[in-house]
Amino acid sequence: MKRFAILALCFAFASDASAQLMKSDSKVKTTLKAGPIGADGKQTVEVMLKIDAGWHLYANPVGNEDFLNSQTKVTVVGDKNAKITYPAGTAMSLGDVKFKGYEHDAKIVVELTRTPGESATLKILVSACDDKNCLLPGVIVAKVE
């Protein structure tokens, strides 16, 4: 019941139907900064998320079990051993519901393994809200060349 109340609170902020149909990835710009591939195939990639003014993403960890499915999450396609390091989020709240989020920008560090000449695909799940709207979750797909 508590989860339903929180989801209802999120979507109650939506001011019109068109806002609810927008996806969260429309509020985030992504850039990648890839380091060199080591002899062992390891590579560090910085994923920079620039979040539109007035919007926030749910941090990872989000600090509230009711928002676990909304927290920002990076996966590396085909690399189950990739190490993902997320920045600490800022304390936020919706009414009396507390959680951690990212505003303005966030840098996520990904340590992956690949061979030179082979690309890697990152999928970044984001859920964005402002003070009136929560958008549908979105997935940003980024290639490391």
Side-chain angles (χ1 to χ4, degrees), residues 1-127:
M1 185 67 175
K2 183 177 176 184
R3 285 180 196 223
F4 177 76
I6 289 172
L7 287 173
L9 176 64
C10 268
F11 287 103
F13 284 113
S15 60
D16 60 42
S18 64
Q20 287 184 4
L21 297 177
M22 289 181 66
K23 289 199 172 184
S24 295
D25 53 327
S26 68
K27 301 298 176 186
V28 182
K29 311 301 180 274
T30 305
T31 56
L32 303 179
K33 181 179 176 186
I37 301 172
D40 59 357
K42 302 271 186 209
Q43 182 179 36
T44 300
V45 178
E46 293 179 353
V47 179
M48 299 298 300
L49 303 178
K50 181 163 177 42
I51 305 155
D52 286 359
W55 292 85
H56 71 267
L57 302 179
Y58 292 97
N60 189 338
V62 70
N64 182 322
E65 70 179 34
D66 293 318
F67 290 122
L68 289 177
N69 290 331
S70 298
Q71 68 188 4
T72 301
K73 184 176 180 182
V74 175
T75 55
V76 180
V77 177
D79 187 350
K80 294 181 191 250
N81 295 318
K83 180 182 174 194
I84 317 290
T85 305
Y86 298 92
T90 302
M92 304 179 115
S93 63
L94 287 172
D96 63 348
V97 179
K98 299 187 183 317
F99 60 94
K100 292 182 182 176
Y102 303 134
E103 293 181 292
H104 312 294
D105 56 39
K107 180 173 76 172
I108 301 168
V109 178
V110 178
E111 294 177 19
L112 53 85
T113 304
R114 70 184 185 108
T115 57
E118 198 176 77
S119 65
T121 301
L122 307 180
K123 291 187 177 182
I124 307 150
L125 174 66
V126 294
S127 293

